[in-house]
């Protein structure tokens, strides 16, 4: 190589100097990468957002999201009717939903509690892989922190907000929150939680809510309409309360 002018020249723009500088730069970047990996392994020195979130999760810290306000309503129907869980209602300036199924006798008023928000009902297929995840498109912490359900082949499975280690031998999923406020559902393994196969149907249901803002709505004596049940009269008996950001 010393006999070749391109390697013996002293100018930085010559081939030999340039290649040597590149090789040296690769080594320097690798050393910095190793240093950052080491730093991001400990809470006292972590710099990357994802590392800080992972460490917080390992320590049992979880970002919470908005919680919906509630109202009390009176329902009455001229004929017997069964109103299923997750029925959507609208009126008084917002959306509302039922968290439990309601059965109405003919002309027999019933008092029911509704929560503020609209229901998202999404069905996906399993992948047959450990730790399959689903991330909601809604951000800003608007997915309800309490109203999340997952059904595996129409059977409800357990929700954990701590980690998969709480689901040993139990069908279930973990509900995490990403830094931008989106919800992430994470399934488990054959030993911890559920691992949906490609033949499994996974139904994910959650509510998107306004949190504290809904507490300011004036709803008392207002009328609501229940989607799919035009013959049911719904009268609000209280103003909203309990919404949290």
């Amino acid at each position: 190589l010393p006999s070749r002018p391109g390697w013996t020249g002293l100018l930085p723009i010559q081939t030999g100097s340039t290649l040597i500088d590149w090789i040296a730069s690769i080594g320097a970047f690798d050393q910095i990468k190793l240093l950052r990996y080491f730093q991001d392994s400990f809470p006292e020195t972590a710099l990357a957002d994802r590392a800080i979130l992972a460490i917080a999760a390992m320590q049992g810290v979880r970002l919470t999201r908005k919680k919906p306000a509630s109202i009390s309503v009176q329902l009455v129907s001229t004929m017997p009717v069964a109103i299923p869980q997750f029925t959507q209602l609208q009126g008084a300036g917002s959306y509302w939903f039922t968290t439990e199924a309601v059965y109405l006798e003919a002309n027999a008023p019933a008092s029911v509690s509704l929560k503020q928000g609209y229901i998202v009902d999404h069905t996906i297929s399993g992948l047959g892989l450990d730790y399959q995840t689903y991330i909601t498109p809604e951000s800003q912490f608007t997915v309800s922190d309490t109203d999340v359900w997952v059904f595996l082949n129409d059977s409800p499975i357990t929700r954990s907000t701590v980690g998969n280690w709480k689901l040993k031998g139990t069908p279930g999923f973990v509900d995490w929150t990403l830094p931008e406020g989106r919800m992430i559902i994470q399934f488990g393994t054959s030993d911890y939680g559920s691992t949906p196969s490609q033949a499994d149907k996974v139904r994910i249901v959650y509510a998107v809510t306004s949190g504290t803002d809904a507490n300011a709505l004036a709803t008392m004596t207002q009328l609501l309409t229940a989607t799919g049940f035009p013959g049911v009269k719904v009268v609000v008996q209280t103003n909203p309360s309990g919404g949290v950001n």
Side-chain angles (χ1 to χ4, degrees), residues 38-240:
F38 180 79
Q39 291 175 332
D40 284 343
S41 298
F42 302 95
E44 295 83 3
T45 55
L47 298 176
D49 288 343
R50 61 181 181 179
I52 294 170
L53 179 65
I55 291 168
M58 285 190 290
Q59 294 176 337
V61 178
R62 173 181 173 273
L63 293 172
T64 57
R65 303 183 297 270
K66 293 184 178 183
K67 298 180 181 179
S70 299
I71 57 173
S72 179
V73 300
Q74 185 182 75
L75 288 76
V76 62
S77 174
T78 57
M79 61 182 66
V81 64
I83 300 177
Q85 186 182 22
F86 313 133
T87 294
Q88 191 74 70
L89 297 93
Q90 186 176 0
S94 189
Y95 292 94
W96 313 88
F97 63 94
T98 61
T99 58
E100 302 290 342
V102 180
Y103 181 77
L104 297 177
E105 298 283 356
N107 300 310
S111 292
V112 176
S113 179
L114 302 179
K115 289 187 176 182
Q116 185 274 328
Y118 65 87
I119 290 292
V120 177
D121 195 332
H122 191 50
T123 300
I124 63 175
S125 298
L127 299 177
L129 302 174
D130 290 347
Y131 305 114
Q132 177 179 343
T133 59
Y134 173 82
I135 301 176
T136 62
E138 296 86 2
S139 59
Q140 303 300 316
F141 304 92
T142 55
V143 174
S144 171
D145 197 57
T146 54
D147 302 282
V148 178
W149 301 266
V150 174
F151 301 84
L152 188 57
N153 297 323
D154 298 324
S155 296
I157 58 177
T158 303
R159 172 177 176 257
S160 171
T161 56
V162 180
N164 275 313
W165 61 273
K166 277 286 191 179
L167 299 170
K168 184 173 176 60
T170 302
F173 68 98
V174 179
D175 176 347
W176 295 111
T177 306
L178 294 177
E180 66 270 24
R182 295 195 292 169
M183 177 183 69
I184 175 170
I185 289 176
Q186 183 185 66
F187 295 96
T189 66
S190 57
D191 296 321
Y192 295 87
S194 299
T195 307
S197 69
Q198 294 180 354
D200 289 331
K201 181 181 71 173
V202 182
R203 182 188 179 199
I204 298 172
V205 182
Y206 58 89
V208 178
T209 186
S210 302
T212 302
D213 292 345
N215 294 336
L217 294 173
T219 60
M220 188 177 295
T221 71
Q222 297 285 330
L223 297 179
L224 306 182
T225 57
T227 302
F229 299 92
V232 177
K233 183 179 180 181
V234 185
V235 182
V236 184
Q237 297 178 309
T238 62
N239 285 320

Side-chain angles (χ1 to χ4, degrees), residues 13-35:
I13 61 172
Q14 288 184 289
T15 304
S17 297
T18 302
L19 290 177
I20 291 172
D21 286 344
W22 284 353
I23 294 171
S25 298
I26 292 173
F29 282 128
D30 283 342
Q31 290 299 313
I32 293 295
K33 185 189 297 183
L34 291 173
L35 178 61

